[in-house]
Structures are given as C-alpha cells and as structure tokens.
C-alpha cells in the first residue's frame, strides 16, 4: 500500500478526545441519565432506558445489565408511543448485543480470502485511499452507497453524507428499493412527493384494513397487538384483512378476504368497482378535494366484478359485504405491506390500496389516513426521468432499484459501479437472487462494509469496519409518524463500545478527514460550541453561508463541533440539524408540544429536550386538518388518476393469474414474518424459542399428496436453487401455497467456532428477474417452486 492521503488538521487527536468522551462513564455526561436506580448499591438492579431495535416500532424498553450482559427487559411505560408495550421478541435482545460474531476490530481481506486485523489508522487510511482512488480515476459516481440503517438505527445513513459528498457519490440504495419504492412512487403521484407517507390512525379508527400485512407479527404501528384486540372486542369497530393465509391478524378479522396468492389486483379492482356501483363513494370529498375522479370512475367501472371475483378466488358476495363495511364506516385506516408489494402487480396494487381510503373520503380526519410530520424523511423524492446510470431503470425516492444493482456492477458499461460502501445492511443475504449478487459483488474493485457482525456481505468485503452496537451509542430512527401528536426518541448508550468498535459518526468523521474532505471554514466552530449555543449558532451560520460544503456535510460538521460538548451523546449532534429544520418548517406545532422559544432559540431548546429525554418525547402536535397543508401539489389537491398504470389496470381483464401451470406448481411466500425472526438483526439461532429450523408451512391436502407429515423434511426447488426445510402441516395456508420465514439461513459460529447455516436462506431460491416492471420490486411472496419429500 502506498502512503495514505494526508489527513487535514489534527484529526486523530480530535478523534481520540471524542472517543475518550464517548467512553466516559455516563455519570460524567451532561445529558440526563437514562437510568433509574431502585437500590443505590447494586448496579445489576438499575433499569436503563433504551428501545428494542427488532422492528420499526422501536418500542421503548428498560433493561438491566450484569456486566456487559442484558439480563432483564421490560417495556418502558414512559415511552410516549409504546407506553410499556413490547412483544416477546424484545425480551431476548441480548442475543443481538452479545452475538458471538460481533466485530471488534477493523479487518482487511488478504488475497487468499482470509481476514487480517488492522488498526483503525491503517483501515481508515487504506479505505480512504482506495475510494478516493476510484473517485480520481473514474469518478465518485461509480461508487454506490447501500444501506444506512435498519429497523433501529438511522444515524449511519445521515452521517455517511460527509463521506459521500467528499467522494462525489451520486447513487444510493437500500432495502426500501425492494419493498416500498413502488408505493412511494404512487404516493408521489397522488400527494405530490414520494416521501409523503399517509399513515393510519388505528387507535381511533372504526375500520382497520390490512392488505398483505400481518401486524400481529410484523407490527408497524404502536401497540399493534393491543390495538387489534381492542378492535376485535368492540362490535362497532371492524377489521378487514386481505391475505391468502389465515394469519394471526386474519384470524381476528370481521372480513377475511382469502385472496389467491398474487391476485390482489383483481380483488382490489373488484372492491373499488363495487364501491362505485353501490354508491359507497364520498362524492363531495372526491369533487372538492381531488382531481381525476371522472376518469378514475370510468376506469374502475370498467372492471368486471364477477370475473375479478373468480380470478382472485373470493366470493362476490364476500367482496360486496367487505366493500360495504369499508364504505359505510365512520372512519377507515389501512396499511399495505409486503403481501402485495412483493407480489405480481406490485405498484398497481399500491395505487389501488390507496384508492380504497380515498374514494371513501377517509383522509385528513381522526381515525382516517393522515400525513404526519417527521423530523426527517425516511427517503427522498425523484423527479420524472431520474434513472440509474447503467440499466436506465427508474430511480424512485432517490434510490437505485435493488434488483438493478447486479446489472449496474457486472457489465462493461462505462458507468458501472466499481466500488461500494455497505452500511448496516446485509444485501448478499437479503436481496433477491443471492447467487446473482455474489457474482456481481465479486467484480467490485472495492467493497467496504460497516456492520456490528460478521455478515454474509462482510465476508465478501475488502474492508470490514466494526460499528458499536445500538446499545453502545446514541441512536434513533425517523420512522415515527403519528397524528395528531408525534414523538421521537434519541436513545442513550447503556454500554461502552465493544472492543475497538466505533459509532458510525466517528467512522465517517475519520474517513472525511482522511479523504481531505473537512469543509474549510469550520475551524472556529468547535471553539464556538464550547463557548455556548449562541456563539455556536452564529459561527455555524457564517460558515454555512460562506461554504456550501458545510451544509452538504452538516451531520459530520455537527459531530465534529457540537459533539465534543455532548459527552457520550456526541453522535446525537446530528439532531441539531433536525431540530433546526423542524423549528423553521413548523414552529407552531413544536411549541404546541411544549417547547418554548422563537427561531434558533426554539431549535436549540428542541435539541436539548430531544437529547435529554431518554424515554423519547412528543415534539409536535398538529390538527388532523393540517394534513391538507402537507399535500405537495401546487393545487393542494389529491391527484387520483395515475396514467402510467392505466394500461396495466385494463390488462387485468384479459390476464389469467398463472398458478400451478408448469413444473413449479406451488407458490412460495419466501420470507414470512413470524415471532422467530427479526430481519437479519439477530443472527444467533438460539434467540428463537420456537420454530428454530424455520419450517415450511404447507396445507394438509398438499402434505398428503406429497406423503409428508409434520416435521418431515421437504425439498423446495425453484428455477434458481434448492433448499430443505421441515414441514409444518397447517390449514392456515391454502392448497398450492407454502411459506418460509424471512431472516433465516445466516451463517453463525457454534461454541467451538464452527460456522453453520441455520434454516433456509430464502434468497437462494428467488430470481432477480421476477419483479415489477416499474419499481423492480421482487416477487418474493410469489416464488414458483416444486416440492418433494426428502427420503429418510
Ligand atoms: N417479527 C418480525 N416483524 C417484522 C420483521 C421481521 O423480520 N420479523 N420485519 C419488518 C419489516 S422490514 C417489514 S417490511 C415488515 C413486513 O411485514 P408484513 O408485510 O406484514 O410481513 P410478511 O409476513 O412478510 O407478509 C405479510 C402477509 O402477506 C401475506 N401474503 C403472502 N402472499 C400474499 C398475496 O399474494 N396477497 C396478499 N394480500 N397477502 C399475501 C402473508 O401471508 C403474510 O401474512 O415487517 C417488519 N416487522
Ligand atoms: N426473500 C425475501 N427477502 C427479503 C424479504 C422478504 O420478505 N423475503 N424482506 C426484505 C425486507 S422488507 C427488508 S427491510 C430487508 C432487510 O434487509 P437489510 O436491509 O439487509 O437489513 P437488516 O436485515 O435490517 O440487517 C441490518 C444489518 O445491520 C446490522 N446492524 C445492526 N445494528 C447495527 C448498527 O448499529 N450499526 C451497523 N453499522 N450495523 C448494524 C446487522 O448486523 C445487519 O447486518 O430484507 C429483505 N429481504
Ligand atoms: S420487535 Fe417490534 S413490536 Fe416487538 S418489542 Fe421490538 S420494537 Fe416492539
Ligand atoms: Mo422491510
């Protein structure tokens, strides 16, 4: 290796000072202690406030520690959204914190494929050199950034901005671009921006509708199971579920629309056509608040209800009854998820799902769908014609479609991606068609992975940089989107970083410095921060107006300057930017939540309160009617009609759903949410109390035909691969439909250090070519397979 580029300023000593602060005992930190002590003496009896990181709900929890072990977990009653609620998954969170494959030191891959431990100085210098090398020879736009956060951590993606700006990286992607981008696109058409997500108000709704979503297991809104139970136990409130499976949620429903897998487009078209035919639409709302209703009504009325019912396998009478329940409810809230997004007609489904609540006028009202405030959007917005630089596929929400990534690498196209930074994601296991991804990643000139654990993707990397866990640093997500009051939780570290692992903020700060990317003119900023908030704000204002780089790299700038005043909360410095944004964009809503001040004083007060509320806080209160102010179309209306989807809708009339017609007679839902999975966040199979092997759910009739009984092993063959799993014979799945869980099939060392794969890695079976034409969302819920019993 040649000499690394000289780092600017006295980087390493700054970094060491920050690290010392990070590792300082919490008692010395200025932020409020995130712990309550029942008994003064015994540290194992102290409850530390944090959150569960296993799904997007991020329920507030309190934990007890014995040394570095999390020994007890309970819900945090002071958390503004979860209020003490958790599901069973949080209780064994120590399996995440103390996984056997946690990374403790930077690693560099040798030519023979083995890894060598290197110091941070060496790793940072070499990564900087390799990536700036690509930038200087072919351009930083040939480096792809993937990931940026999972279910519990959104700081990495924000801090990465400094590195991406320094390198001139233009393209990003993450898991949203294989599930939600089609839905975001449809939303963008209707509300004006792809990152304007309408959210349900399940707490107050009279009719909850879930389409391809099983919130009992997957959650997705606060206290999901409690809310579902309340709806079930109240005769006046209704639950409608569209799912081919008798999921836990479907089993509670007033109307379970047991759709044949992959045929939701017909079911949704029928529901809408019935609403028009039976006069269940809200004509006043549609005329006054929306555009495109005339065209849309014509399109919908063209659907043949009986034919749609036949194709989706639901009785017309059942569809009519459900449409009436929805059309006459005082309020309706709904959520769709992977069951229709990762299935045929994905983007079309998302449009039709949105129309269910719009044609019935359930928008901008209690119990209906609303546009909540967010401290920061979870994705971007792409204008018309934004495409990736190699395949020309549409970029939606600012992201390269995941399914386009291999073709953007493994090609001789001059714009191909040569380098990749993967942070807090495991694409070689979670993206469709792992074989295709492995082939493509092998062509990269440099792959850098930042993770807490030795993942499938890390194993393929040139450099692996160890991040400390989400219990060892401040973290937060930007998922929360509640109305009328919205909350946010900046979590406090409860443990010191393992080994040499670092928070992403620190990793990115060091990389920016090593790449020579620190903005000029921020020199006095750290001193100003030491003098006080007013001085800091003044100097920051001057610096950002004289150097646009300051704004472009703001997270790292804040970390380097404000961070040192925050003790072990330094990585929360980024929230200062969010607080400034919120105070400029919606000061009245912030004040309505009890934060005082005007202008930058309001921002400063909001920031302090965010950083000093270990259980989280309500940071904004709005009126339901303010949803209208958030529509981004200049006419302030909802644009119902999406021209680009018209042909696909019309083609439903001639299309026959293709199921069971060839050598792959079964439809496999590859990646179901169960109580035994949490994406790839948990890697230790011992975490699972039940379903340790990850069973293949199969209907009793199919089991009989195959000659298998409960527990027998079944071989699953797709056009891309083969796998084996034990059968779980259950009539909750319909004949012809089988399911496997998500998040299994990861490699994990046993006590002797021997690596084993536990369960089926479903993406060895999926095919990257099976995907939506518009968003490229893979059809994971609709993988065509053949089954055979495994002898013996
Ligand atoms: N326990 C647990 N919770 C999680 C996660 C986890 O890994 N484990 N992951 C989180 C993440 S990242 C996400 S995106 C969400 C996803 O959450 P969900 O989308 O709710 O979860 P899934 O089980 O993947 O799929 C939902 C339902 O779709 C149904 N389905 C399958 N095929 C079809 C079809 O053709 N039509 C219809 N209508 N339904 C169909 C399945 O039977 C299933 O009940 O969960 C989050 N929560
Ligand atoms: N076949 C099939 N495939 C699927 C799905 C499916 O249903 N079927 N579901 C898809 C969906 S919806 C999603 S969202 C994706 C999820 O897939 P990914 O986006 O790849 O991410 P996660 O599984 O959330 O894994 C997060 C990674 O972050 C790491 N990590 C945890 N904490 C930290 C931290 O503090 N810092 C850093 N740097 N890393 C950390 C974990 O070790 C893990 O490697 O999977 C998708 N894949
Ligand atoms: S897995 Fe989700 S619902 Fe369960 S405790 Fe964790 S955050 Fe809450
Ligand atoms: Mo997801």
């Amino acid at each position: 290796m040649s000499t690394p580029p000289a780092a600017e300023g006295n980087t390493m000593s700054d970094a060491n000072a920050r690290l010392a602060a990070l590792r300082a005992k919490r008692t010395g930190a200025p932020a409020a202690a995130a712990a309550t002590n029942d008994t003064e003496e015994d540290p194992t009896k102290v409850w530390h406030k944090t959150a569960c990181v296993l799904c997007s709900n991020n329920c507030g929890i309190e934990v007890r520690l014995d040394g570095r072990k999390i020994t007890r977990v309970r819900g945090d009653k002071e958390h503004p959204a979860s209020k003490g609620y958790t599901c069973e998954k949080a209780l064994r969170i120590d399996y995440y914190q103390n996984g056997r494959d946690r990374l403790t030191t930077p690693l560099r891959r040798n030519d023979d494929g083995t890894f060598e431990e290197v110091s941070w100085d060496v790793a940072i210098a070499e990564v900087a050199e390799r990536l700036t090398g690509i930038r200087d020879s072919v351009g930083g736009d040939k480096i792809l950034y993937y990931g940026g956060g999972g279910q519990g951590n959104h700081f990495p993606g924000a801090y990465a901005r400094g590195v991406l700006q320094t390198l001139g990286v233009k393209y990003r992607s993450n898991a949203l671009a294989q599930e939600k981008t089609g839905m975001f696109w449809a939303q963008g058409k209707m509300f004006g921006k792809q990152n304007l997500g309408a959210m349900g108000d399940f707490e107050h709704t009279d009719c909850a509708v879930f389409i391809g979503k099983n919130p009992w297991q997957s959650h997705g809104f606060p206290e999901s199971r409690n809310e579902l139970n309340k709806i079930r136990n109240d005769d006046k409130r209704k639950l409608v579920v569209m799912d081919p499976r008798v999921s836990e949620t479907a089993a509670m429903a007033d109307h379970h629309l047991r759709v044949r897998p992959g045929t939701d487009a017909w079911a949704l078209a029928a529901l809408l056509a019935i609403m028009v035919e039976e006069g269940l639409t809200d004509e006043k709302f549609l005329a006054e608040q929306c555009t495109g209703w005339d065209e849309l009504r014509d399109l919908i009325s063209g659907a043949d209800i009986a034919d749609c019912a036949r194709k989706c396998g639901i009785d017309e009478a059942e569809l009519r009854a459900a449409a009436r329940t929805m059309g006459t409810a005082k309020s309706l809230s709904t959520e769709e998820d992977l069951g229709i997004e990762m299935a045929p007609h994905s983007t079309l489904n998302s449009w039709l799902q949105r129309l269910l609540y719009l044609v019935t006028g359930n928008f901008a009202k209690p119990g209906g769908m609303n546009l909540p405030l967010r401290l920061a959007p979870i994705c971007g917005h792409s204008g018309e014609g934004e495409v990736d630089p190699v395949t020309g596929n549409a970029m939606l929400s600012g992201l390269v479609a995941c399914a386009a990534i291999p073709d953007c690498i493994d090609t001789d196209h001059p714009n191909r991606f040569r380098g990749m930074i993967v942070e807090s994601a495991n694409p070689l296991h979670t993206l469709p068609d792992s074989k295709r991804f492995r082939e493509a990643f092998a062509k990269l000139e440099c792959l850098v992975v930042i993770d807490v654990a030795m993942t499938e993707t890390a194993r393929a990397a040139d450099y692996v940089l160890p991040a400390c866990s989400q219990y060892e640093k401040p973290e937060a997500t930007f998922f929360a989107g509640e109305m009328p009051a919205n909350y946010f939780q900046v979590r406090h570290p409860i443990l010191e970083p393992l080994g040499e692992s670092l928070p992403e903020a620190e990793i990115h700060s060091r990389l920016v410095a090593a790449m020579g990317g620190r903005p000029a003119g921020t020199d006095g900023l750290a001193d100003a921060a030491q003098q006080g908030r007013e001085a800091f704000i003044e100097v920051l204002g001057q610096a950002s107006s004289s150097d646009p780089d300051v704004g472009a790299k703001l997270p790292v700038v804040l970390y380097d300057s404000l961070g040192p005043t925050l003790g072990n909360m330094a990585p929360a410095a980024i929230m200062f930017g969010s607080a400034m944004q919120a105070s400029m964009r919606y000061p009245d809503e912030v004040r309505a939540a009890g934060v005082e001040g005007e202008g930058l004083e309001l921002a400063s007060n909001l920031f302090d309160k965010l950083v000093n509320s270990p259980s989280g806080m309500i940071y904004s209160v709005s009126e339901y009617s303010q949803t209208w102010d958030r529509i981004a179309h200049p006419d302030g209306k909802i644009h119902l009609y999406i021209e680009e989807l018209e042909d696909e809708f019309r083609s439903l009339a001639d299309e026959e759903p293709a199921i069971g017609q060839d050598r792959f007679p079964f439809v496999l839902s590859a990646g179901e949410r169960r109580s035994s999975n949490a994406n790839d966040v948990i890697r230790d199979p011992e975490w699972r109390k039940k379903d340790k092997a990850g069973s293949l759910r199969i209907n009793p009739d199919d089991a009989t035909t195959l000659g298998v009984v409960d527990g027998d092993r079944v071989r699953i063959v797709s056009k891309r691969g083969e796998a084996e799993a034990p059968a779980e014979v259950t009539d909750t799945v319909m004949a012809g439909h089988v399911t496997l869980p998500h998040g299994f099939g990861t490699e994990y060392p046993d006590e002797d250090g021997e690596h084993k794969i536990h369960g089926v890695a479903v993406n060895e079976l999926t095919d990257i070519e099976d995907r939506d034409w518009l968003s490229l969302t893979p059809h994971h819920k609709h993988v065509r397979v053949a089954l055979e019993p495994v002898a013996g």
Side-chain angles (χ1 to χ4, degrees):
M1 290 288 151
S2 53
T3 332
E8 275 188 2
N10 52 347
T11 321
M12 276 306 160
S13 62
D14 284 1
N16 289 337
R18 277 194 304 268
L19 196 55
L22 273 167
R23 291 175 194 268
K25 286 270 175 289
R26 188 175 344 92
T27 43
T36 48
N37 201 344
D38 297 347
T39 52
E40 240 2 277
E41 324 70 53
D42 187 351
T44 65
K45 296 281 157 52
V46 179
W47 289 103
H48 303 266
K49 285 175 182 296
T50 178
C52 170
V53 301
L54 298 183
C55 86
S56 59
N57 267 21
N58 302 137
C59 299
I61 56 173
E62 295 186 298
V63 306
R64 277 183 174 167
L65 300 170
D66 188 355
R68 293 193 61 87
K69 223 176 142 46
I70 298 176
T71 51
R72 291 272 307 274
V73 176
R74 68 180 185 195
D76 179 3
K77 295 199 174 79
E78 291 171 21
H79 188 277
S82 59
K83 300 181 187 125
Y85 174 94
T86 71
C87 76
E88 68 286 348
K89 291 194 294 301
L91 304 181
R92 287 150 65 85
I93 194 72
D94 191 59
Y95 285 85
Y96 159 75
Q97 169 58 31
N98 285 310
R100 226 176 269 135
D101 56 359
R102 281 281 311 271
L103 297 164
T104 56
T105 171
L107 301 172
R108 174 176 64 201
R109 197 150 56 118
N110 296 317
D111 292 340
D112 65 0
T114 57
F115 282 101
E116 180 185 347
E117 295 186 357
V118 291
S119 69
W120 271 110
D121 285 357
V122 169
I124 293 287
E126 291 186 9
V127 167
E129 186 196 82
R130 294 279 294 270
L131 295 177
T132 52
I134 295 177
R135 174 193 67 190
D136 298 341
S137 59
V138 287
D141 58 347
K142 311 301 183 307
I143 300 169
L144 175 68
Y145 178 80
Y146 186 87
Q151 301 287 295
N153 57 325
H154 289 169
F155 284 176
Y159 277 112
R161 253 172 63 190
V163 168
L164 306 192
Q165 287 289 331
T166 304
L167 288 170
V169 172
K170 266 177 72 181
Y171 299 101
R172 274 187 181 236
S173 185
N174 63 43
L176 290 171
Q178 51 89 63
E179 51 174 329
K180 300 277 177 278
T181 34
M183 184 262 270
F184 292 158
W185 176 84
Q187 226 153 237
K189 290 279 166 188
M190 299 169 100
F191 304 140
K193 274 268 154 60
Q194 287 160 4
N195 48 21
L196 271 179
M199 303 292 281
D201 182 11
F202 295 103
E203 190 186 343
H204 302 112
T205 199
D206 284 301
C207 181
V209 181
F210 297 104
I211 313 280
K213 160 121 201 129
N214 178 19
W216 185 271
Q217 290 300 7
S218 66
H219 289 81
F221 52 91
E223 297 187 78
S224 305
R225 291 177 185 171
N226 291 350
E227 295 302 342
L228 289 169
N229 277 326
K230 282 189 211 155
I231 295 172
R232 175 176 53 186
N233 295 333
D234 184 340
D235 288 344
K236 291 194 278 304
R237 302 175 73 196
K238 300 293 175 207
L239 179 62
V240 181
V241 175
M242 192 182 290
D243 197 310
R245 206 164 55 89
V246 189
S247 67
E248 293 81 351
T249 313
M252 304 170 81
D254 297 280
H255 300 271
H256 175 196
L257 301 173
R258 204 169 179 189
V259 63
R260 289 166 74 205
T263 62
D264 297 80
W266 288 276
L268 292 164
L271 287 172
L272 290 164
I274 293 164
M275 286 172 175
V276 170
E277 190 192 278
E278 298 197 10
L280 297 164
T281 52
D282 184 339
E283 293 297 326
K284 186 168 181 297
F285 172 88
L286 291 164
E288 289 172 8
Q289 318 276 27
C290 305
T291 67
W293 177 227
D294 289 343
E295 261 174 305
L296 180 66
R297 190 177 35 218
D298 285 351
L299 185 74
I300 291 173
S301 312
D304 177 341
I305 297 170
D307 187 54
C308 287
R310 177 183 64 80
K311 287 174 176 168
C312 72
I314 308 169
D315 272 354
E316 185 178 329
E318 261 185 272
L319 285 165
R320 286 190 183 273
R324 278 173 213 141
T325 296
M326 290 187 253
T328 55
K330 274 201 290 228
S331 61
L332 177 149
S333 275
T334 172
E335 197 167 318
E336 66 166 52
D337 217 325
L338 306 181
I340 59 168
E341 289 164 357
M342 290 185 167
H345 299 296
S346 168
T347 307
L348 176 65
N349 288 337
S350 293
W351 180 37
L352 302 180
Q353 191 268 356
R354 268 145 192 77
L355 291 174
L356 285 181
Y357 64 80
L358 291 171
V359 302
T360 53
N362 284 291
F363 192 73
K365 67 181 214 185
M369 301 298 291
N370 291 280
L371 300 176
L373 291 172
R374 287 184 194 273
L375 270 180
I378 58 163
C379 66
H381 172 84
S382 299
E384 295 290 332
E386 272 187 56
V387 295
D388 74 52
V390 177
T391 71
N393 279 297
M395 302 223 323
L396 309 178
S397 308
L399 302 171
V400 172
C402 294
I405 292 174
D407 287 346
C408 287
I409 300 169
D410 190 6
T411 164
D412 53 12
H413 194 288
N415 291 342
R416 69 184 181 275
F417 296 135
R418 326 284 171 104
M420 242 178 116
I421 304 171
V422 173
E423 186 165 38
S424 197
N426 190 12
L428 288 189
H429 183 256
T430 54
L431 291 184
D433 209 333
S434 301
K435 273 194 284 294
R436 177 71 187 119
F437 267 88
R438 280 192 298 267
E439 271 164 26
F441 273 39
K443 304 273 165 73
L444 289 168
E445 287 165 27
C446 182
L447 171 62
V448 179
V449 169
I450 306 173
D451 204 296
V452 299
M454 195 62 185
T455 65
E456 286 64 22
T457 312
R459 263 185 262 279
D462 297 289
Y463 292 89
V464 183
L465 305 181
C468 54
S469 86
Q470 299 177 48
Y471 298 106
E472 299 165 350
K473 66 192 169 206
E475 256 303 351
T477 66
F478 294 88
F479 284 127
E482 296 294 309
M483 278 283 269
N486 202 3
Y487 69 94
F488 199 87
Q489 183 186 14
V490 181
R491 284 128 50 191
H492 289 221
I494 58 171
L495 284 161
E496 289 180 24
L498 179 69
E500 290 178 36
S501 66
L502 293 174
E504 288 82 353
E506 180 65 32
I507 298 173
H508 289 293
S509 164
R510 290 187 188 191
L511 282 171
V512 169
M515 291 172 182
R518 277 200 167 168
T522 50
D523 287 350
L525 204 50
D527 288 342
Q530 296 290 352
Q531 283 161 34
R533 200 56 61 71
E534 258 174 57
F536 176 70
I537 289 170
E538 198 187 316
V539 178
L540 181 64
Q542 288 160 3
S544 39
S545 49
S546 66
D547 181 0
D549 223 21
V550 171
K553 297 171 182 166
L554 190 64
V556 162
V557 168
L558 289 172
Y559 175 73
D560 289 343
S561 55
L562 194 58
T565 68
L566 300 173
N568 70 345
M569 290 299 282
I574 190 180
M575 294 311 300
F576 194 74
S578 308
M580 285 199 298
Q581 285 277 334
S583 308
M584 279 184 307
R585 284 177 39 227
Y586 43 87
D588 293 338
E589 287 84 338
V590 174
R591 279 188 290 263
V595 185
E596 288 169 8
E598 297 276 341
L600 288 168
E601 190 197 357
L602 180 66
S604 196
N605 291 342
L606 174 58
F607 173 70
D608 287 335
K609 202 161 172 192
L610 283 165
V611 173
N612 290 293
S613 305
S615 285
M617 65 174 283
I618 302 278
Y619 74 91
S620 69
V621 178
S622 7
E623 309 276 335
Y624 286 101
S625 59
Q626 283 177 288
T627 280
W628 288 115
D629 309 336
R630 296 170 194 163
I631 297 274
H633 286 307
D635 62 4
K637 293 189 174 184
I638 298 169
H639 295 192
L640 296 170
Y641 202 73
I642 303 185
E643 232 175 78
E644 291 87 336
L645 296 175
E646 186 187 310
D647 287 348
E648 191 180 351
F649 185 91
R650 288 192 200 282
S651 75
L652 293 175
D654 299 322
E655 187 184 331
E656 271 304 314
I659 303 177
Q661 287 167 357
D662 56 13
R663 67 191 170 105
F664 298 117
F666 288 88
V667 171
L668 166 71
S669 283
E672 188 168 274
R673 270 65 188 169
R674 300 181 183 170
S675 65
S676 56
N677 60 17
N679 283 4
D680 276 18
V681 186
I682 302 261
R683 300 180 60 83
D684 186 343
E686 282 309 308
W687 171 73
R688 303 176 174 125
K689 282 200 146 166
K690 288 189 281 189
D691 192 31
K692 282 187 192 287
S695 64
L696 177 83
R697 291 183 170 156
I698 181 168
N699 179 276
D701 292 344
D702 290 334
T704 307
T705 312
L706 283 177
V708 297
V709 296
D710 230 48
D712 282 358
R713 291 189 76 75
V714 177
R715 181 169 301 116
I716 306 132
V717 184
S718 77
K719 59 181 157 160
R720 290 296 284 157
E722 286 190 23
E724 274 181 37
E728 179 188 335
V729 180
T730 165
D731 56 14
T732 57
V733 291
M734 57 170 74
H737 188 204
V738 290
T739 74
L740 279 170
H742 173 51
F744 279 63
T746 49
E747 200 175 314
Y748 193 75
D750 65 16
E751 270 161 18
D752 305 321
E754 201 190 321
H755 285 252
K756 293 202 176 109
I757 292 179
H758 300 266
V760 176
V762 278
N763 288 313
E764 299 296 332
L765 299 171
T766 55
D767 185 347
I768 202 162
E769 302 299 332
D770 292 338
R771 59 198 193 191
D772 189 59
W773 66 274
L774 194 154
S775 62
L776 269 56
T777 317
H779 293 166
H780 287 331
K781 302 294 157 189
H782 208 78
V783 180
R784 310 287 302 283
V785 296
L787 302 177
E788 47 194 65
V790 175

